[in-house]
Amino acid sequence: MNRNLLVTGGAGFIGSNFVHYWVQNYPEDNLIVLDALTYAGDLNNLKNLIEKNKISFIKGDISDKSTIYDTFVQNKINNVVHFAAESHVDRSIKSPDSFIQTNIIGTFNLIEVFRKLKGKNISENNWRFLHVSTDEVFGSLDLDEEPFSENTKYDPSSPYSASKAASDHLVRAWGKTFDLPILISNCSNNYGP
């Protein structure tokens, strides 16, 4: 069965590279990209895929729950890859409120709509939610310390990392409480193609 995959933040650097990869490797899937096109999103990253009707694009904000709900229902979304986030420590120090709104409230909106619609119109076995986070939730390391692992305790040290840690906890809690098929990745800085 083909996936109806929602990619939030899909016009950003990491998200758009993921979208190109997915279209190339899973062309039978339906990709819907939702992006607010703020400082980090650039529609030119997806221009050729949009022009060739390889993906659908929706300009929207994950902080708007009705946009999320409508996107899920109209596109019969059953898989989510959640890249959308406010990022960069320096920006979070200057304007923490936008980080709370997008990273915490936006993630809550996504996981809550996912929970409410899971299994409706589409087999429940085909549902997945991938939350793309950051290693910043673990704090910082001195050069002589052991590297982070999936068992490292959370120790955020900026509004950015605290908001991402909160969103990780929401997704993990919704997964356990409501038996949702969730995954969380805590990747380090990304660069290159």
Side-chain angles (χ1 to χ4, degrees):
M1 179 177 196
N2 296 355
R3 287 167 284 223
N4 296 320
L5 179 64
L6 175 64
V7 181
T8 68
F13 170 67
I14 302 171
S16 64
N17 277 281
F18 172 85
V19 169
H20 281 274
Y21 169 85
W22 202 269
V23 167
Q24 182 177 350
N25 290 281
Y26 304 97
E28 69 282 356
D29 289 348
N30 302 311
L31 253 75
I32 296 87
V33 173
L34 177 71
D35 199 299
L37 297 178
T38 59
Y39 69 95
D42 185 350
L43 202 51
N44 288 320
N45 292 336
L46 303 172
K47 186 177 179 182
N48 63 330
L49 296 177
I50 294 169
E51 288 173 352
K52 294 177 182 175
N53 293 318
K54 301 279 186 183
I55 65 168
S56 299
F57 178 79
I58 300 168
K59 183 177 180 187
D61 189 334
I62 61 172
S63 297
D64 180 359
K65 197 175 208 174
S66 63
T67 296
I68 300 300
Y69 184 84
D70 292 346
T71 299
F72 267 78
V73 170
Q74 291 166 9
N75 297 283
K76 296 183 178 175
I77 298 299
N78 61 337
N79 284 263
V80 176
V81 180
H82 177 33
F83 290 102
E86 294 288 337
S87 62
H88 305 302
V89 171
D90 293 348
R91 288 187 68 254
S92 76
I93 294 167
K94 290 179 183 172
S95 180
D97 54 333
S98 63
F99 285 72
I100 302 305
Q101 190 62 37
T102 300
N103 298 352
I104 300 174
I105 302 301
T107 299
F108 164 74
N109 289 340
L110 280 167
I111 196 70
E112 182 66 357
V113 170
F114 182 84
R115 176 185 75 83
K116 287 181 177 177
L117 296 178
K118 179 178 171 262
K120 294 191 174 159
N121 300 320
I122 299 171
S123 169
E124 202 165 305
N125 295 329
N126 295 316
W127 284 70
R128 301 285 180 275
F129 189 103
L130 171 60
H131 176 59
V132 180
S133 188
T134 175
D135 66 338
E136 300 248 358
V137 298
F138 303 121
S140 58
L141 289 175
D142 290 329
L143 290 175
D144 60 344
E145 289 183 276
E146 289 291 314
F148 297 129
S149 77
E150 284 136 353
N151 297 317
T152 302
K153 72 178 185 73
Y154 277 44
D155 189 22
S157 55
S158 70
Y160 166 60
S161 59
S163 67
K164 290 300 285 184
S167 66
D168 289 5
H169 290 317
L170 283 173
V171 171
R172 190 172 288 110
W174 260 240
K176 286 182 180 179
T177 302
F178 301 109
D179 193 30
L180 298 178
I182 60 104
L183 295 167
I184 299 173
S185 70
N186 296 102
C187 52
S188 61
N189 291 343
N190 290 272
Y191 56 91

